[in-house]
Amino acid sequence: MYTSEETSFSIKDGRQGFNFAGFQIIQIRKKVVGRYKIKIVPHRIVKKQFLQKVHNVVLYYKAASSFQLIKKLSPIIIGWANYYKFCECSMTFSKMDHCIFLKIRAWVFRRDTTNSKYLVKEKYFQFGKIYLYNGVEYEDNWVLVGKKKIQKEKSSISENFLPRMRWVRSVKHTKVKGNKSPCDVDTLYWVLRIVKY
């Protein structure tokens, strides 16, 4: 994934930035002279690799139902978003959402060329629907919806949807106290930290 040059820590000036564990970390000058802030964002190579993975899944599942595609894509998208939610991610998530949507929309309209685009859109992207994700309601007319008949129960249909990456909220990482380590004997601190955060 990364070359030795990309993970090198020999850079002395933080304004040049460095890459670590898929993040790009860089110092940016604030408006106040001599003051800097740290900016941490997902690295561009990681974003490119992620979009390629999504593209490969969509390509592999080109003949599958939307229910199956959502079942495969949802943990990939949400897993990636949960990993990067501890940095400045809102703009990145919006851009990634748009790129994923373009791939999904192309997948949908390739499947049905006989019906009008409006009917195809209403079948896969339902109008005026409200989606519940992590206890928050979202209204979006361009969320991919999948349906599947349950064989055991007659006339029963299971439904799923592909959540947006931007629905995963950015979270500030809680710092560990300076003198604490997972290797020390103070298990009480770590247990309380896990419970609270």
Side-chain angles (χ1 to χ4, degrees):
M1 286 181 50
Y2 294 101
T3 63
S4 59
E5 291 177 8
E6 288 172 324
T7 55
S8 173
F9 292 96
S10 62
I11 298 171
K12 293 178 181 176
D13 192 345
R15 290 172 296 179
Q16 294 176 21
F18 64 92
N19 311 318
F20 177 73
F23 294 93
Q24 183 179 17
I25 302 161
I26 192 166
Q27 274 187 326
I28 296 176
R29 189 190 298 271
K30 293 178 86 172
K31 289 182 180 179
V32 181
V33 179
R35 299 291 295 272
Y36 290 88
K37 73 170 187 174
I38 303 294
K39 185 174 182 181
I40 305 172
V41 293
H43 192 267
R44 58 181 177 79
I45 293 175
V46 176
K47 292 191 284 188
K48 191 176 179 181
Q49 288 172 344
F50 170 72
L51 288 175
Q52 185 60 50
K53 186 175 184 178
V54 170
H55 174 76
N56 292 341
V57 170
V58 172
L59 206 62
Y60 184 80
Y61 282 82
K62 62 183 176 184
S65 67
S66 57
F67 188 91
Q68 290 173 308
L69 180 66
I70 292 167
K71 200 172 177 182
K72 183 67 179 176
L73 274 181
S74 188
I76 295 171
I77 292 169
I78 297 305
W80 196 90
N82 281 331
Y83 181 78
Y84 288 100
K85 71 181 179 181
F86 295 101
C87 67
E88 295 181 36
C89 58
S90 56
M91 192 179 291
T92 299
F93 285 0
S94 292
K95 287 180 181 178
M96 301 297 267
D97 265 341
H98 181 67
C99 293
I100 293 167
F101 166 72
L102 293 177
K103 293 177 193 301
I104 297 296
R105 188 183 64 176
W107 178 87
V108 163
F109 288 125
R110 260 199 313 268
R111 292 175 66 81
D112 193 344
T113 54
T114 55
N115 291 315
S116 69
K117 286 195 173 183
Y118 176 78
L119 291 174
V120 176
K121 187 264 177 197
E122 281 304 303
K123 181 181 177 182
Y124 292 99
F125 304 104
Q126 294 174 4
F127 179 79
K129 199 164 171 114
I130 295 172
Y131 304 94
L132 185 68
Y133 179 77
N134 276 354
V136 182
E137 290 184 346
Y138 298 94
E139 188 174 356
D140 197 321
N141 295 331
W142 289 96
V143 172
L144 182 65
V145 175
K147 293 181 180 179
K148 180 185 178 184
K149 286 184 180 178
I150 300 172
Q151 294 178 349
K152 293 178 182 178
E153 302 173 23
K154 289 182 179 179
S155 71
S156 183
I157 296 173
S158 177
E159 188 175 288
N160 62 359
F161 63 89
L162 188 66
R164 296 282 194 186
M165 194 177 285
R166 66 174 175 265
W167 294 353
V168 177
R169 298 294 181 196
S170 176
V171 178
K172 288 201 172 188
H173 180 72
T174 307
K175 292 180 180 179
V176 175
K177 283 186 181 177
N179 60 348
K180 297 297 177 186
S181 166
C183 301
D184 64 17
V185 291
D186 189 3
T187 53
L188 181 63
Y189 169 77
W190 294 102
V191 169
L192 292 174
R193 179 185 162 84
I194 289 167
V195 170
K196 189 174 180 181
Y197 301 111

Coordinates of all heavy atoms in Angstrom, one line a residue, residues 63-115:
A63 N -24.8 -8.1 -12.2 CA -26.1 -8.9 -12.5 C -26.9 -9.2 -11.2 O -27.9 -9.8 -11.3 CB -25.7 -10.2 -13.2
A64 N -26.4 -8.7 -10.1 CA -27.1 -9.0 -8.8 C -28.2 -8.0 -8.6 O -28.3 -7.0 -9.3 CB -26.1 -9.0 -7.7
S65 N -29.0 -8.4 -7.6 CA -30.1 -7.4 -7.2 C -29.5 -6.3 -6.4 O -28.4 -6.4 -5.9 CB -31.1 -8.2 -6.4 OG -30.6 -8.6 -5.1
S66 N -30.3 -5.2 -6.3 CA -29.9 -4.1 -5.5 C -29.8 -4.4 -4.0 O -28.9 -3.9 -3.3 CB -30.8 -2.9 -5.7 OG -32.2 -3.3 -5.4
F67 N -30.6 -5.4 -3.6 CA -30.5 -5.8 -2.2 C -29.2 -6.4 -1.9 O -28.5 -6.2 -0.9 CB -31.6 -6.8 -1.9 CG -31.8 -7.2 -0.5 CD1 -32.7 -6.5 0.3 CD2 -31.1 -8.3 0.0 CE1 -32.8 -6.9 1.7 CE2 -31.2 -8.7 1.4 CZ -32.1 -8.0 2.2
Q68 N -28.7 -7.3 -2.8 CA -27.4 -8.0 -2.6 C -26.2 -7.0 -2.7 O -25.3 -7.0 -2.0 CB -27.2 -9.0 -3.7 CG -28.1 -10.2 -3.5 CD -28.0 -11.2 -4.7 OE1 -28.1 -10.8 -5.9 NE2 -27.8 -12.5 -4.4
L69 N -26.3 -6.0 -3.7 CA -25.3 -5.0 -3.8 C -25.2 -4.2 -2.6 O -24.1 -3.9 -2.1 CB -25.6 -4.1 -5.0 CG -24.5 -3.0 -5.3 CD1 -23.2 -3.6 -5.7 CD2 -25.0 -2.1 -6.4
I70 N -26.3 -3.7 -2.0 CA -26.3 -3.0 -0.8 C -25.7 -3.7 0.4 O -24.9 -3.2 1.2 CB -27.7 -2.5 -0.4 CG1 -28.2 -1.5 -1.5 CG2 -27.8 -1.9 1.0 CD1 -29.7 -1.2 -1.4
K71 N -26.1 -5.0 0.5 CA -25.6 -5.9 1.5 C -24.1 -6.0 1.5 O -23.4 -6.1 2.5 CB -26.2 -7.3 1.4 CG -26.2 -8.1 2.7 CD -27.0 -9.4 2.5 CE -26.9 -10.2 3.8 NZ -27.6 -11.5 3.6
K72 N -23.5 -6.0 0.3 CA -22.0 -6.1 0.1 C -21.4 -4.7 0.3 O -20.3 -4.6 1.0 CB -21.7 -6.6 -1.3 CG -20.2 -6.8 -1.6 CD -19.7 -7.9 -0.7 CE -18.2 -8.1 -1.0 NZ -17.6 -9.1 -0.1
L73 N -21.9 -3.6 -0.2 CA -21.3 -2.3 -0.2 C -21.4 -1.6 1.2 O -20.5 -0.9 1.6 CB -21.9 -1.4 -1.2 CG -21.3 -1.5 -2.6 CD1 -22.1 -0.5 -3.5 CD2 -19.8 -1.2 -2.6
S74 N -22.5 -1.8 1.9 CA -22.8 -1.1 3.1 C -21.7 -1.2 4.2 O -21.2 -0.2 4.7 CB -24.2 -1.5 3.7 OG -24.5 -0.7 4.8
P75 N -21.3 -2.5 4.5 CA -20.2 -2.6 5.5 C -18.9 -2.0 5.0 O -18.1 -1.5 5.9 CB -20.1 -4.1 5.8 CG -20.7 -4.7 4.6 CD -21.8 -3.8 4.1
I76 N -18.6 -2.0 3.7 CA -17.4 -1.4 3.2 C -17.4 0.1 3.4 O -16.4 0.7 3.9 CB -17.2 -1.8 1.7 CG1 -17.0 -3.3 1.6 CG2 -16.0 -1.0 1.1 CD1 -17.0 -3.8 0.1
I77 N -18.5 0.7 3.0 CA -18.6 2.2 3.1 C -18.6 2.7 4.5 O -17.9 3.6 4.9 CB -19.9 2.7 2.3 CG1 -19.7 2.4 0.8 CG2 -20.2 4.1 2.6 CD1 -20.9 2.6 0.0
I78 N -19.5 2.0 5.4 CA -19.6 2.5 6.7 C -18.3 2.2 7.5 O -17.9 2.9 8.4 CB -20.8 1.8 7.4 CG1 -22.1 2.3 6.7 CG2 -20.9 2.2 8.9 CD1 -22.3 3.8 6.6
G79 N -17.7 1.0 7.2 CA -16.4 0.7 7.9 C -15.3 1.7 7.6 O -14.6 2.1 8.5
W80 N -15.2 2.1 6.3 CA -14.2 3.1 5.9 C -14.5 4.5 6.6 O -13.6 5.1 7.1 CB -14.2 3.3 4.4 CG -13.0 4.0 3.9 CD1 -11.9 3.4 3.5 CD2 -12.9 5.4 3.6 NE1 -11.0 4.4 3.0 CE2 -11.6 5.6 3.1 CE3 -13.7 6.5 3.8 CZ2 -11.1 6.8 2.7 CZ3 -13.2 7.7 3.5 CH2 -11.9 7.9 2.9
A81 N -15.8 4.8 6.6 CA -16.2 6.1 7.3 C -15.9 6.1 8.8 O -15.5 7.1 9.3 CB -17.7 6.4 7.0
N82 N -16.2 5.0 9.4 CA -16.0 4.9 10.9 C -14.5 5.0 11.2 O -14.1 5.5 12.3 CB -16.6 3.6 11.4 CG -18.1 3.7 11.6 OD1 -18.6 4.8 11.9 ND2 -18.7 2.6 11.5
Y83 N -13.6 4.5 10.3 CA -12.2 4.6 10.6 C -11.7 6.0 10.5 O -10.9 6.4 11.3 CB -11.4 3.7 9.6 CG -9.9 3.7 9.8 CD1 -9.4 2.9 10.8 CD2 -9.1 4.4 9.0 CE1 -8.0 2.9 11.0 CE2 -7.7 4.5 9.1 CZ -7.2 3.7 10.1 OH -5.8 3.7 10.3
Y84 N -12.2 6.8 9.5 CA -11.7 8.1 9.3 C -12.6 9.2 9.9 O -12.4 10.4 9.7 CB -11.6 8.4 7.7 CG -10.5 7.6 7.1 CD1 -10.7 6.4 6.4 CD2 -9.2 8.1 7.3 CE1 -9.7 5.7 5.9 CE2 -8.1 7.3 6.7 CZ -8.4 6.2 6.0 OH -7.3 5.5 5.5
K85 N -13.6 8.8 10.7 CA -14.4 9.9 11.3 C -13.7 10.7 12.4 O -14.3 11.7 12.9 CB -15.7 9.2 11.9 CG -15.5 8.4 13.2 CD -16.8 7.8 13.6 CE -16.6 6.9 14.8 NZ -17.9 6.3 15.2
F86 N -12.5 10.3 12.8 CA -11.8 11.0 13.9 C -10.9 12.1 13.3 O -10.1 12.6 14.1 CB -11.0 10.0 14.7 CG -11.8 9.0 15.5 CD1 -12.0 7.7 15.0 CD2 -12.5 9.4 16.7 CE1 -12.8 6.8 15.7 CE2 -13.3 8.5 17.4 CZ -13.4 7.2 16.9
C87 N -11.1 12.4 12.1 CA -10.3 13.5 11.5 C -11.2 14.5 10.8 O -12.4 14.4 11.0 CB -9.3 13.0 10.5 SG -10.0 12.3 9.0
E88 N -10.7 15.5 10.1 CA -11.5 16.5 9.4 C -12.1 15.8 8.1 O -11.4 15.7 7.1 CB -10.7 17.7 9.0 CG -10.2 18.5 10.3 CD -9.4 19.7 9.9 OE1 -9.8 20.3 8.9 OE2 -8.5 20.0 10.6
C89 N -13.3 15.2 8.3 CA -13.7 14.3 7.2 C -15.0 14.7 6.5 O -15.3 14.1 5.5 CB -14.0 12.9 7.9 SG -15.2 13.0 9.2
S90 N -15.7 15.8 7.0 CA -17.0 16.1 6.4 C -16.9 16.4 4.9 O -17.7 15.9 4.1 CB -17.6 17.3 7.1 OG -16.8 18.4 7.1
M91 N -15.9 17.1 4.5 CA -15.8 17.5 3.0 C -15.4 16.2 2.2 O -15.9 16.0 1.1 CB -14.7 18.6 2.8 CG -14.7 19.2 1.4 SD -13.5 20.5 1.2 CE -14.2 21.7 2.3
T92 N -14.5 15.4 2.8 CA -14.1 14.2 2.2 C -15.2 13.2 2.0 O -15.4 12.7 0.9 CB -12.9 13.5 3.0 OG1 -11.8 14.3 3.1 CG2 -12.5 12.2 2.3
F93 N -16.0 13.1 3.0 CA -17.2 12.2 3.0 C -18.2 12.6 1.9 O -18.8 11.8 1.2 CB -17.9 12.1 4.4 CG -17.1 11.2 5.4 CD1 -15.9 10.6 5.0 CD2 -17.6 11.1 6.6 CE1 -15.2 9.9 5.9 CE2 -16.9 10.3 7.6 CZ -15.7 9.7 7.2
S94 N -18.4 13.9 1.8 CA -19.3 14.5 0.8 C -18.8 14.2 -0.6 O -19.6 13.7 -1.5 CB -19.5 16.0 1.0 OG -20.2 16.2 2.2
K95 N -17.5 14.3 -0.8 CA -17.0 14.0 -2.2 C -17.0 12.6 -2.5 O -17.4 12.2 -3.6 CB -15.5 14.5 -2.2 CG -15.4 16.0 -2.3 CD -13.9 16.5 -2.3 CE -13.8 18.0 -2.4 NZ -12.3 18.4 -2.4
M96 N -16.7 11.7 -1.5 CA -16.8 10.3 -1.7 C -18.2 9.8 -2.0 O -18.4 9.0 -2.8 CB -16.2 9.6 -0.5 CG -14.8 9.9 -0.1 SD -13.6 9.5 -1.4 CE -13.1 7.9 -0.9
D97 N -19.2 10.4 -1.2 CA -20.6 10.1 -1.5 C -21.0 10.4 -2.9 O -21.7 9.6 -3.5 CB -21.5 10.9 -0.5 CG -21.8 10.2 0.7 OD1 -21.7 9.0 0.8 OD2 -22.2 10.9 1.7
H98 N -20.5 11.5 -3.4 CA -20.8 11.9 -4.8 C -20.2 10.9 -5.8 O -20.9 10.4 -6.7 CB -20.3 13.3 -5.1 CG -20.7 13.7 -6.5 ND1 -22.0 14.0 -6.9 CD2 -19.9 14.0 -7.6 CE1 -21.9 14.3 -8.2 NE2 -20.7 14.4 -8.6
C99 N -19.0 10.5 -5.6 CA -18.3 9.5 -6.5 C -19.0 8.2 -6.4 O -19.2 7.5 -7.5 CB -16.8 9.4 -6.1 SG -15.8 10.8 -6.4
I100 N -19.4 7.7 -5.2 CA -20.1 6.4 -5.1 C -21.5 6.5 -5.8 O -21.9 5.6 -6.5 CB -20.2 6.1 -3.6 CG1 -18.9 5.8 -3.0 CG2 -21.2 4.9 -3.4 CD1 -18.8 5.7 -1.5
F101 N -22.1 7.7 -5.6 CA -23.5 7.8 -6.2 C -23.4 7.7 -7.7 O -24.2 7.1 -8.3 CB -24.0 9.2 -5.8 CG -25.2 9.6 -6.6 CD1 -26.4 9.0 -6.5 CD2 -25.1 10.6 -7.5 CE1 -27.5 9.3 -7.3 CE2 -26.2 11.0 -8.3 CZ -27.4 10.3 -8.2
L102 N -22.3 8.3 -8.3 CA -22.2 8.3 -9.8 C -22.0 6.8 -10.3 O -22.6 6.4 -11.3 CB -21.0 9.1 -10.2 CG -21.1 10.6 -10.0 CD1 -19.8 11.3 -10.5 CD2 -22.3 11.2 -10.8
K103 N -21.3 6.0 -9.5 CA -21.1 4.6 -9.8 C -22.4 3.8 -9.7 O -22.8 3.0 -10.6 CB -20.0 4.0 -9.0 CG -18.6 4.5 -9.2 CD -17.6 3.9 -8.2 CE -16.3 4.7 -8.2 NZ -15.6 4.7 -9.5
I104 N -23.1 4.1 -8.6 CA -24.4 3.4 -8.4 C -25.5 3.8 -9.4 O -26.2 3.0 -9.9 CB -24.9 3.7 -6.9 CG1 -24.0 3.2 -5.9 CG2 -26.3 3.2 -6.7 CD1 -23.8 1.7 -5.8
R105 N -25.5 5.1 -9.7 CA -26.5 5.6 -10.7 C -26.3 4.9 -12.1 O -27.2 4.5 -12.7 CB -26.4 7.1 -10.8 CG -27.6 7.7 -11.7 CD -27.4 9.2 -11.8 NE -26.2 9.5 -12.5 CZ -25.9 10.8 -12.8 NH1 -26.7 11.8 -12.5 NH2 -24.8 11.0 -13.5
A106 N -25.0 4.9 -12.5 CA -24.6 4.2 -13.7 C -25.0 2.7 -13.7 O -25.6 2.2 -14.7 CB -23.1 4.3 -14.0
W107 N -24.8 2.1 -12.6 CA -25.2 0.7 -12.4 C -26.7 0.5 -12.5 O -27.2 -0.5 -13.2 CB -24.7 0.2 -11.0 CG -25.1 -1.2 -10.7 CD1 -24.3 -2.3 -11.0 CD2 -26.2 -1.7 -9.9 NE1 -24.9 -3.5 -10.4 CE2 -26.1 -3.1 -9.8 CE3 -27.3 -1.1 -9.4 CZ2 -27.1 -3.9 -9.2 CZ3 -28.3 -1.8 -8.7 CH2 -28.1 -3.2 -8.6
V108 N -27.5 1.4 -12.0 CA -28.9 1.3 -12.0 C -29.5 1.5 -13.4 O -30.3 0.7 -13.9 CB -29.6 2.4 -11.1 CG1 -31.0 2.6 -11.4 CG2 -29.4 2.0 -9.6
F109 N -29.0 2.5 -14.1 CA -29.6 2.8 -15.4 C -29.1 1.9 -16.5 O -29.6 1.8 -17.6 CB -29.3 4.3 -15.8 CG -30.1 5.3 -15.0 CD1 -29.5 6.3 -14.3 CD2 -31.5 5.2 -15.0 CE1 -30.3 7.2 -13.6 CE2 -32.3 6.0 -14.3 CZ -31.7 7.1 -13.5
R110 N -28.0 1.2 -16.2 CA -27.5 0.1 -17.2 C -28.4 -1.1 -17.1 O -28.5 -1.9 -18.0 CB -26.1 -0.3 -16.8 CG -25.0 0.3 -17.7 CD -23.7 -0.4 -17.7 NE -23.3 -0.7 -16.4 CZ -22.5 0.0 -15.6 NH1 -22.0 1.2 -16.1 NH2 -22.1 -0.4 -14.4
R111 N -29.0 -1.3 -15.9 CA -29.8 -2.5 -15.7 C -31.1 -2.5 -16.5 O -31.6 -3.6 -16.9 CB -30.1 -2.7 -14.2 CG -28.9 -3.0 -13.4 CD -29.3 -3.0 -11.9 NE -30.2 -4.1 -11.6 CZ -29.8 -5.3 -11.3 NH1 -28.6 -5.6 -11.4 NH2 -30.7 -6.2 -11.0
D112 N -31.7 -1.4 -16.6 CA -33.1 -1.3 -17.2 C -33.1 -0.2 -18.3 O -33.1 1.0 -18.0 CB -34.1 -1.0 -16.2 CG -35.5 -1.2 -16.7 OD1 -35.7 -1.3 -17.9 OD2 -36.5 -1.3 -15.8
T113 N -33.0 -0.7 -19.5 CA -33.0 0.3 -20.7 C -34.3 0.4 -21.4 O -34.5 1.2 -22.3 CB -31.9 -0.1 -21.7 OG1 -32.1 -1.4 -22.1 CG2 -30.5 0.1 -21.1
T114 N -35.3 -0.5 -21.0 CA -36.6 -0.5 -21.6 C -37.6 0.5 -21.1 O -38.3 1.2 -21.8 CB -37.2 -1.9 -21.5 OG1 -37.3 -2.3 -20.2 CG2 -36.4 -2.9 -22.3
N115 N -37.5 0.7 -19.8 CA -38.4 1.6 -19.1 C -37.9 3.1 -19.1 O -36.7 3.2 -19.4 CB -38.7 1.2 -17.7 CG -39.6 0.0 -17.6 OD1 -40.5 -0.2 -18.3 ND2 -39.1 -1.0 -16.8

